[in-house]
Amino acid sequence: MKNRARLSLRVPTPPARPGDAPDFSSIKLEAAGEVRRPEIDARAHDVSDLAYALIRVLDDKGRAVGPWNPKLDAETLRRALRAMLLTRAYDDRMYRAQRQGKTSFYMKCTGEEAVAIAASFALERDDMCFPSYRQQGLLIARGYPLLEMMNQVYSNAHDPLKGRQLPIMYSSKAYGFFTISGNLGTQFPQAVGWAMASAYKGDDRIAASWIGDGTTAEGDFHHALNFASVYRAPVILNVVNNQWAISSFAGIAGGNESTFASRGIGYGLPALRVDGNDFLAVYAATAWAAERARSNLGATLIEHYTYRVEGHSTSDDPSRYRPIDEAKLWPLGDPVERLKDHLIALGEWSEDRQQEAHREAVEQVKAANKEAEAIGTLGHGELPSLKTMFEDVFKDMPEHLRRQRQQMGV
Amino acid sequence: MPAMNMIQALNSALDVMLTKDPNVLTFGEDVGYFGGVFRVTDGLQKKHGLTRCFDTPIGEGGIVAAAIGMGAYGLRPVAEIQFADYIYPAYDQIVSEAARLRYRSAGDFTAPIVIRTPYGGGIFGGQTHSQSPEALFTHVAGLKTVIPSTPYDAKGLLIAAIEDDDPVIFLEPKRLYNGPFDGYPDRPVTTWAKLPAGEVPEGYYTVPLGKASVVREGGDVTILAYGTMLHVALASAADSGLDCEVIDLRTLVPLDIETIVNSVKKTGRCVIVHEATHTGGYGAELSALVQENCFHHLEAPVERVTGWDTPYPHAFEWQYFPGPARVIAALKRAMEA
């Protein structure tokens, strides 16, 4: 018998499970305005503290403070708020459509709207986004037609993806939105490749990609950071830490031991950690990274610290693995409310105007949905032509596929 | 016309395309300064510059993912995976991503990429430098799979693959890099130098994807082969004393079904030869295809001569390798049936 303790295996667990009181006591929040803003040409090594801090601009009273305040004009802020409201209204409508059996599946981004929408405001229109499945706000903020999104969700005759993809897995080259994969993180190193190509061609466009905290455990995350660092690719690599990967809390992905942003340090990339529920902070961090990328200074890793208010998808019941009221007590609040409060604090908005904007968003979604449902919903109404099933496997249809199509009689 | 071995022919193909099209780049582990462990990219960085031909981190998934991103941008990247045995870390990017971008985006995004990789046995590479993974790729909708067997074809097929708008898996039989190999390890080593297939034009030409080549005409039995096995098949045909028709498939997807079917209808017999393991190998697909299309013309069961269903053993390479003795035995079984 050896005179020392036996080993024991540690499996991390979240601070609270169903039936427990939500516990966010371990979260350390910097005050809004507290974190420094370095010059864009700062060396990664000299800004490593930012990978552990939390960049915040909006304070509890809705005021924008500190060096990261992007000082956006009121009209831009109002447009952003409307885009967030529209995204939320769209999510609500599509969620209900799934519950009504009109589509198979849906994923909301409730609580995370600022992540995608602030990024789309900070990026140029022709920059290429490589999103995960929870950045529908990018398309909405860029003005992609809601009707097209719905046609895709319903896999109806006008589905731009011809009934091939799961709902929510949009694709639009024209809107700089790369086709979404269900395999986690594959888009991260692809975005780096796209950015390398842009640099190779002497273009001025940059790429941006988004993954969740859980996906940082995938090999592709590390390939992306390494390639981005090695080739100084003009890309923004975003980790949306929404605390939950289906039922596994961020600690299982490795978030207990260090921040996700800190992963960038080992790769020599500047890394920012930002309050993902603060539109201004996300905007400012993205703009900083974008300017850096456009100045040929390479990639930035950004961790967006936020909370997934809803379930992972319509197939998930979060009350099975976390306290039912946890989302309400999330200490960084709601991104829509916070931007609204900011505009009101500026004297540029009001609760009445908010109500009116909300109604407008709901009406806009309703009108588009009426049109989409008239074309068809999953399995009902007009479908894409069956013969398109055999198209786009290759650029030109090879003989064996032509024969299979004939066998099917189309 | 200069004599080239397959390495030089592949190098020439890359050189021609790097010269012709600024959207072509090539990269991979040790590909740049050093010119590749098999020297396929030798001199290309010096001639075309650091950004056209460069080294990458050892991360196959990252290499292929970067190629996909570049392809989506509009470039035509040629990525090298140093050995086919190392392609598995990139498998998800190849299968779930490159193969499906066009389909899942309804033609909006495409991956016009080539993934080159040396494969196959016969070089005492053990079980990590000898595998033949072609069936893993031919099973995937959206990928083209190309396997040359001569320097001439290697160059023409690689240029065609680079110009192709779909993702292409380009498997190079490394045993054939320096010369043909007939499967008799005790015979003197031959080179490509004085063989017609080693006569390779210096400039641009293509060998179209999807066209098999009838390398030897005959009336008794059809042998279907590709890569190194093409040469084993030819030696076996010669040594068997039979009037064999030997077909080099050249591309497995798209497959030249017509040439195969016409030949088997003529001979009434079919022997399939490949290096990969037996069960679920590409030979199973070929066998089923022949059965579906030529059943009433067949005089004998379709024979498959393949690697065994084990990993590739270092010490027993020649027992594992489907050499002429096994091919000739299969030919005789086919004739006696």
Side-chain angles (χ1 to χ4, degrees):
Chain A
M1 191 77 179
K2 288 177 187 164
N3 186 23
R4 59 182 169 216
R6 283 168 182 262
L7 296 169
S8 63
L9 178 68
R10 188 273 304 252
V11 178
T13 53
R17 284 296 193 187
D20 299 335
D23 177 10
F24 292 114
S25 58
S26 63
I27 297 177
K28 176 179 162 283
L29 294 180
E30 277 74 5
E34 190 181 336
V35 176
R36 72 193 178 104
R37 183 185 184 282
E39 296 301 314
I40 58 141
D41 60 354
R43 294 188 324 142
H45 184 76
D46 298 328
V47 297
S48 59
D49 54 312
L50 301 185
Y52 299 97
L54 193 66
I55 295 166
R56 306 178 69 207
V57 173
L58 289 171
D59 71 10
D60 293 343
K61 296 190 173 113
R63 291 174 307 204
V65 294
W68 287 93
N69 180 6
K71 301 193 171 74
L72 296 173
D73 63 81
E75 183 46 37
T76 302
L77 295 174
R78 280 191 292 262
R79 277 197 299 119
L81 183 59
R82 286 181 199 279
M84 278 204 264
L85 287 167
L86 188 57
T87 302
R88 194 163 280 189
Y90 174 80
D91 270 358
D92 286 342
R93 187 70 203 82
M94 292 294 96
Y95 182 88
R96 269 189 288 138
Q98 192 278 337
R99 288 296 187 243
Q100 292 163 351
K102 291 171 182 166
T103 187
S104 59
F105 181 78
Y106 193 74
M107 302 177 101
K108 299 174 92 171
C109 67
T110 313
E112 302 173 41
E113 291 90 346
V115 172
I117 287 162
S120 67
F121 273 71
L123 293 170
E124 296 291 336
R125 178 65 175 69
D126 57 357
D127 293 334
M128 184 60 79
C129 298
F130 290 73
S132 82
Y133 42 68
R134 226 180 289 279
Q135 281 79 49
Q136 54 267 55
L138 290 168
L139 279 174
I140 289 174
R142 282 182 169 183
Y144 185 79
L146 292 182
L147 176 61
E148 293 292 293
M149 293 176 76
M150 289 167 170
N151 289 337
Q152 202 273 308
V153 170
Y154 291 144
S155 287
N156 66 22
H158 292 192
D159 172 3
L161 305 182
K162 305 181 186 176
R164 295 169 185 168
Q165 275 273 41
L166 269 180
I168 63 113
M169 293 198 177
Y170 313 101
S171 173
S172 174
K173 195 172 184 176
Y175 283 78
F177 192 94
F178 191 73
T179 162
I180 290 177
S181 177
N183 294 33
L184 293 180
T186 52
Q187 74 276 17
F188 229 44
Q190 291 166 7
V192 175
W194 194 98
M196 288 168 70
S198 184
Y200 166 76
K201 294 293 274 186
D203 198 349
D204 61 357
R205 292 182 295 164
I206 64 172
S209 187
W210 289 259
I211 59 171
D213 47 287
T215 303
T216 59
E218 292 279 4
D220 276 336
F221 170 71
H222 301 276
H223 290 315
L225 265 60
N226 198 29
F227 276 64
S229 170
V230 168
Y231 301 108
R232 202 178 284 169
V235 62
I236 305 173
L237 297 169
N238 296 283
V239 174
V240 184
N241 177 1
N242 67 11
Q243 314 301 323
W244 291 97
I246 307 190
S247 71
S248 300
F249 84 118
I252 289 291
N256 261 17
E257 303 307 313
S258 192
T259 67
F260 293 107
S262 72
R263 290 353 180 215
I265 293 173
Y267 292 98
L269 297 176
L272 308 176
R273 198 159 164 273
V274 48
D275 176 350
N277 290 24
D278 178 342
F279 175 89
L280 294 177
V282 176
Y283 180 96
T286 308
W288 187 88
E291 193 185 348
R292 198 178 152 89
R294 269 184 244 286
S295 308
N296 228 14
L297 294 162
T300 302
L301 178 67
I302 304 178
E303 175 183 347
H304 301 266
Y305 200 66
T306 181
Y307 188 88
R308 194 195 75 209
V309 170
E310 294 284 347
H312 168 71
S313 74
T314 44
S315 305
D316 174 39
D317 174 8
S319 72
R320 304 285 293 270
Y321 53 79
R322 68 186 190 191
I324 204 159
D325 53 348
E326 196 178 74
K328 288 195 190 77
L329 297 164
W330 173 245
L332 293 172
D334 177 86
V336 178
E337 290 295 309
R338 285 177 69 190
L339 186 55
K340 177 201 77 177
D341 290 345
H342 175 53
L343 270 163
I344 290 174
L346 289 176
E348 296 285 352
W349 199 245
S350 67
E351 292 289 354
D352 286 347
R353 287 179 78 179
Q354 179 77 358
Q355 286 303 319
E356 181 58 27
H358 171 69
R359 264 196 304 277
E360 279 171 19
V362 170
E363 285 307 312
Q364 193 181 339
V365 167
K366 209 167 150 185
N369 187 58
K370 200 173 166 194
E371 213 177 323
E373 285 196 17
I375 298 162
T377 56
L378 184 65
H380 295 89
E382 214 185 324
L383 289 170
S385 162
L386 188 55
K387 74 177 178 189
T388 63
M389 188 169 85
F390 295 91
E391 293 170 359
D392 302 318
V393 179
F394 296 100
K395 185 180 176 215
D396 302 310
M397 195 179 295
E399 190 52 32
H400 69 282
L401 274 179
R402 198 178 310 284
R403 285 186 195 181
Q404 288 172 21
R405 194 183 75 185
Q406 283 163 356
Q407 276 176 27
M408 190 173 238
V410 289
Chain B
M1 207 178 287
M4 291 191 199
N5 64 29
M6 195 184 280
I7 293 167
Q8 292 161 330
L10 291 163
N11 181 277
S12 176
L14 290 166
D15 186 25
V16 164
M17 291 310 291
L18 285 163
T19 305
K20 183 169 184 271
D21 183 354
N23 288 324
V24 173
L25 351 153
T26 189
F27 48 86
E29 296 151 14
D30 304 304
V31 156
Y33 183 82
F34 181 56
V37 293
F38 289 103
R39 321 300 301 147
V40 170
T41 51
D42 189 30
L44 296 178
Q45 184 178 82
K46 194 169 182 193
K47 181 171 175 187
H48 298 282
L50 202 58
T51 63
R52 306 290 308 281
C53 174
F54 54 87
D55 294 319
T56 62
I58 302 172
E60 289 79 9
I63 293 169
V64 173
I68 292 168
M70 290 177 188
Y73 180 93
L75 304 185
R76 290 187 177 270
V78 183
E80 179 182 301
I81 302 297
Q82 203 161 73
F83 283 89
D85 310 71
Y86 307 154
I87 209 165
Y88 308 113
Y91 196 61
D92 185 41
Q93 285 287 348
I94 296 170
V95 169
S96 311
E97 302 296 310
R100 296 197 215 143
L101 284 193
R102 181 189 296 281
Y103 194 73
R104 78 182 196 212
S105 69
D108 212 10
F109 291 98
T110 61
I113 69 175
V114 178
I115 301 166
R116 288 183 40 245
T117 187
Y119 89 103
I123 61 150
F124 281 102
Q127 46 87 32
T128 54
H129 298 78
S130 304
Q131 294 170 76
S132 298
E134 65 272 19
L136 298 177
F137 301 110
T138 58
H139 188 59
V140 177
L143 296 177
K144 291 180 176 171
T145 303
V146 178
I147 304 184
S149 65
T150 67
Y152 180 90
D153 279 2
K155 178 172 175 181
L157 287 167
L158 182 54
I159 291 176
I162 295 169
E163 291 188 329
D164 199 276
D165 290 324
D166 295 311
V168 179
I169 308 296
F170 196 89
L171 294 165
E172 299 167 4
K174 55 184 170 292
R175 176 72 209 206
L176 302 183
Y177 271 156
N178 291 301
F181 177 63
D182 59 11
Y184 290 102
D186 46 345
R187 284 188 185 172
V189 172
T190 50
T191 68
W192 292 108
K194 292 192 175 123
L195 295 168
E199 295 280 303
V200 177
E202 276 186 339
Y204 171 95
Y205 69 93
T206 61
V207 173
L209 308 187
K211 294 276 175 240
S213 161
V214 180
V215 180
R216 184 190 205 267
E217 291 195 17
D220 284 345
V221 52
T222 300
I223 310 180
L224 303 179
Y226 49 90
T228 308
M229 288 301 127
L230 189 265
H231 303 277
V232 174
L234 285 170
S236 305
D239 295 352
S240 68
L242 297 167
D243 186 24
C244 301
E245 180 142 302
V246 180
I247 297 177
D248 180 3
L249 299 179
R250 295 203 287 207
T251 67
L252 307 188
V253 177
L255 182 66
D256 186 349
I257 298 169
E258 198 183 348
T259 297
I260 296 168
V261 169
N262 287 345
S263 175
V264 177
K265 280 184 176 171
K266 182 177 76 174
T267 62
R269 293 177 165 84
C270 182
V271 172
I272 297 157
V273 193
H274 66 59
E275 291 183 65
T277 48
H278 189 79
T279 302
Y282 196 66
E285 174 60 33
L286 293 170
S287 173
L289 182 101
V290 167
Q291 204 281 139
E292 282 168 359
N293 289 279
C294 312
F295 180 74
H296 293 293
H297 298 80
L298 284 174
E299 307 281 342
V302 176
E303 289 277 346
R304 283 187 283 162
V305 184
T306 68
W308 308 116
D309 283 348
T310 71
Y312 214 106
H314 186 240
F316 303 117
E317 181 155 58
W318 302 123
Q319 287 79 7
Y320 183 91
F321 196 85
R326 282 165 58 198
V327 177
I328 292 167
L331 289 168
K332 295 208 162 137
R333 280 197 302 276
M335 293 308 294
E336 285 160 10

